[in-house]
Amino acid sequence: MDREEGSNTEVQVTAFKIEGTCNINTSSWRDHLYDQLFYGIVLGLRPEICVELGTLSGYSAYCMATALKDLGYGTLDCYDLWESYPYNHVPMSEARRNLKGLPVNLHKEDCGLVYAHYLTGTVDLLFVDISNDGYVYEKILSDWYEKLSDKAIVIMEGGANSRDKVGWMKDYKKIPIRKALSSRFITQHYDYVVWDYFPGITILRKKKGVNG
């Protein structure tokens, strides 16, 4: 484990042991064994208000919402365009079917202005998987900063070095996520951990004693 400047830590993960929590098969998360991680984060955090931007078929939502159900409280608000998104998508009905019986609210809405729905300091968990690139990282972490509670965790897809080198990131000249993580706003306002196991995730918390 290598500790980076600014209390930010990089963790190299070689493997996860999976017990088969989730049976949804149309997610890259399942291919790379993240289900127990998502479930465990929610169990440990014990959040009340959770928000997911980018739900697709509901794999990550299923893992997090199952933890909320096991805790006995908390809700997960999921936002996606589903079939209205021109690139990788599934019907909203697929997510609804996969998440039936869990404490989840589905909203078909562009994720760009969702933060306006929430009061200051009320969101305990924010999960973001919306074709993430460096620009998305900086915008989301800026827009949502005031909405996050003091104990809040932000989970964002991406962060692995290999994730910044995938075809569409290079073809469309997207800002690398690693570059965004070194930006002034993020380094001044957040501590983070990067799990460098493709596609990687970045877990962030607001720094204490920093005003917006």
Side-chain angles (χ1 to χ4, degrees):
M1 180 185 296
D2 299 321
R3 182 168 295 277
E4 298 180 342
E5 184 178 354
S7 300
N8 300 323
T9 304
E10 174 121 356
V11 178
Q12 181 73 34
V13 178
T14 57
F16 286 105
K17 181 179 180 181
I18 300 303
E19 304 297 338
T21 298
C22 184
N23 293 319
I24 301 170
N25 294 312
T26 58
S27 172
S28 61
W29 293 123
R30 183 171 181 81
D31 295 339
H32 301 287
L33 314 180
Y34 276 95
D35 55 349
Q36 297 294 313
L37 180 61
F38 298 153
Y39 178 87
I41 287 174
V42 174
L43 279 187
L45 183 63
R46 305 177 72 86
E48 293 186 21
I49 297 178
C50 307
V51 178
E52 179 176 68
L53 307 180
T55 299
L56 201 63
S57 61
Y59 180 84
S60 51
Y62 181 98
C63 300
M64 293 186 289
T66 299
L68 292 175
K69 184 177 181 180
D70 290 347
L71 285 170
Y73 63 88
T75 58
L76 175 62
D77 295 335
C78 296
Y79 296 86
D80 202 303
L81 289 175
W82 284 289
E83 54 266 61
S84 297
Y85 186 62
Y87 304 106
N88 183 35
H89 65 266
V90 300
M92 185 179 183
S93 58
E94 182 173 325
R96 184 179 293 114
R97 181 176 62 252
N98 290 335
L99 299 171
K100 184 177 180 180
L102 294 172
V104 171
N105 304 307
L106 300 183
H107 306 273
K108 190 173 185 180
E109 184 176 342
D110 189 288
C111 294
L113 296 176
V114 168
Y115 68 92
H117 300 331
Y118 295 89
L119 298 175
T120 298
T122 58
V123 176
D124 296 321
L125 177 64
L126 176 64
F127 188 102
V128 185
D129 185 3
I130 49 172
S131 301
N132 292 353
D133 58 25
Y135 171 77
V136 170
Y137 263 59
E138 293 192 58
K139 178 169 174 38
I140 291 293
L141 292 171
S142 175
D143 288 347
W144 284 86
Y145 182 80
E146 297 293 341
K147 308 299 182 178
L148 300 174
S149 70
D150 289 340
K151 75 172 187 179
I153 285 179
V154 182
I155 305 172
M156 300 193 70
E157 181 271 338
N161 278 310
S162 53
R163 170 61 170 72
D164 276 340
K165 298 174 183 177
V166 297
W168 65 269
M169 287 281 288
K170 296 169 68 176
D171 292 345
Y172 293 99
K173 297 180 171 59
K174 297 294 185 178
I175 298 172
I177 291 169
R178 286 305 188 95
K179 182 177 180 179
L181 287 172
S182 64
S183 69
R184 176 176 297 180
F185 181 84
I186 294 177
T187 56
Q188 288 182 347
H189 290 80
Y190 292 92
D191 290 317
Y192 62 83
V193 173
V194 176
W195 295 77
D196 201 12
Y197 182 70
F198 187 87
I201 60 168
T202 304
I203 303 173
L204 306 99
R205 297 190 86 157
K206 294 166 67 173
K207 286 187 174 181
K208 295 182 180 180
V210 177
N211 295 322

